[in-house]
Amino acid sequence: MQSRTYLYDVLVSTLFTEGLDAEMDLWALGFSALWIKGADLDALAPALHLDVATWTPCHLSEILDHSTRDGSNWVAEVNGWIGIAPGHCDDAFLLSITEDGRQAVGLRMDIHGRASFTYAREGRVIVSFDPTWPQERSGDDPHALDHLMDGLRFQITDGGLLDDRVEEDESISSALALIGRITETDIAADWFQAGHSRIRPTP
């Protein structure tokens, strides 16, 4: 049986390979990622400031070293979705990138302990919430993803039992699972562990 923090743990173990500071974590790193559907990479590259001529095979486990050195982004294409890390996840960018019928999902965490999950479609924020406190949702249709959230745990369970508290790592793991359901992929095997690519930013 997988642990409740399985996807969070997979992401951490993939990013923080041997030789990196053992004290680092996703919160200290300031992790962000973006998934987009509805356009190919060539069409998205200008908005994402990616120089597609610099495309090079790369695993997610290699991206921190390259990103530090030359600003490279990890770019993965699965099931019609394009994943990018680090990714621009603010609402204004998601609104602009999803025009013309596109969809996008953004997840970000920062060193101050703040996290956000946003799903946008056709130039509109459909659902946006903090994975550690999802009952305060915003967007045009705050409950649009409820049918995909069955079994996921983001907070203290009903009844407020303190011995069943959902910690932050489990909340992020649930957010990652939700992204897998939206993209209809195995978030660990298809995205985090598979071979994809890296692309440097435009000069």
Side-chain angles (χ1 to χ4, degrees), residues 28 33 65 76 116 118 124 155:
D65 184 48
S116 67
T118 303
R124 299 160 50 221
Q155 61 196 20

Side-chain angles (χ1 to χ4, degrees), residues 55-113:
W55 181 96
T56 305
C58 181
H59 283 79
L60 182 60
S61 58
E62 305 168 304
I63 196 59
L64 283 184
D65 184 48
H66 291 291
S67 183
T68 301
R69 186 184 311 147
D70 60 21
S72 289
N73 290 81
W74 178 74
V75 179
E77 300 183 61
V78 182
N79 199 30
W81 289 82
I82 298 174
I84 300 139
H88 303 288
C89 299
D90 61 273
D91 287 359
F93 181 80
L94 292 176
L95 291 176
S96 65
I97 203 70
T98 57
E99 293 178 348
D100 301 323
R102 300 170 187 161
Q103 302 176 65
V105 183
L107 175 66
R108 60 182 170 178
M109 307 157 56
D110 67 27
I111 196 170
H112 303 293

Side-chain angles (χ1 to χ4, degrees), residues 2-203:
Q2 292 179 343
S3 73
R4 290 176 171 176
T5 61
Y6 170 70
L7 290 176
Y8 177 90
D9 296 339
V10 169
L11 180 55
V12 168
S13 63
T14 301
L15 280 172
F16 299 114
T17 54
E18 291 184 18
L20 292 174
D21 186 348
E23 298 302 316
M24 287 288 288
D25 60 26
L26 288 184
W27 298 94
L29 176 67
F31 176 79
S32 65
L34 172 69
W35 288 261
I36 305 169
K37 184 176 184 179
D40 61 27
L41 185 57
D42 287 336
L44 294 173
L48 297 168
H49 306 291
L50 298 175
D51 182 357
V52 293
T54 65
W55 181 96
T56 305
C58 181
H59 283 79
L60 182 60
S61 58
E62 305 168 304
I63 196 59
L64 283 184
D65 184 48
H66 291 291
S67 183
T68 301
R69 186 184 311 147
D70 60 21
S72 289
N73 290 81
W74 178 74
V75 179
E77 300 183 61
V78 182
N79 199 30
W81 289 82
I82 298 174
I84 300 139
H88 303 288
C89 299
D90 61 273
D91 287 359
F93 181 80
L94 292 176
L95 291 176
S96 65
I97 203 70
T98 57
E99 293 178 348
D100 301 323
R102 300 170 187 161
Q103 302 176 65
V105 183
L107 175 66
R108 60 182 170 178
M109 307 157 56
D110 67 27
I111 196 170
H112 303 293
R114 295 186 296 255
S116 67
F117 172 100
T118 303
Y119 171 66
R121 186 178 62 227
E122 298 179 349
R124 299 160 50 221
V125 171
I126 306 301
V127 184
S128 183
F129 62 87
D130 179 341
T132 65
W133 202 249
Q135 66 267 41
E136 295 183 7
R137 306 180 205 179
S138 60
D140 288 358
D141 188 358
H143 297 284
L145 300 179
D146 284 7
H147 66 291
L148 297 177
M149 296 171 70
D150 184 49
L152 301 181
R153 287 165 35 99
F154 293 92
Q155 61 196 20
I156 296 174
T157 56
D158 291 341
L161 301 177
L162 294 181
D163 61 353
D164 198 25
R165 182 183 296 273
V166 177
E167 302 296 339
E168 290 177 339
D169 294 357
E170 184 179 352
S171 296
I172 298 301
S173 197
S174 292
L176 293 169
L178 179 56
I179 292 169
R181 294 178 182 184
I182 293 170
T183 60
E184 299 182 308
T185 60
D186 183 326
I187 199 78
D190 292 338
W191 296 104
F192 299 156
Q193 298 171 327
H196 291 291
S197 61
R198 62 181 170 89
I199 300 177
R200 294 199 301 270
T202 51

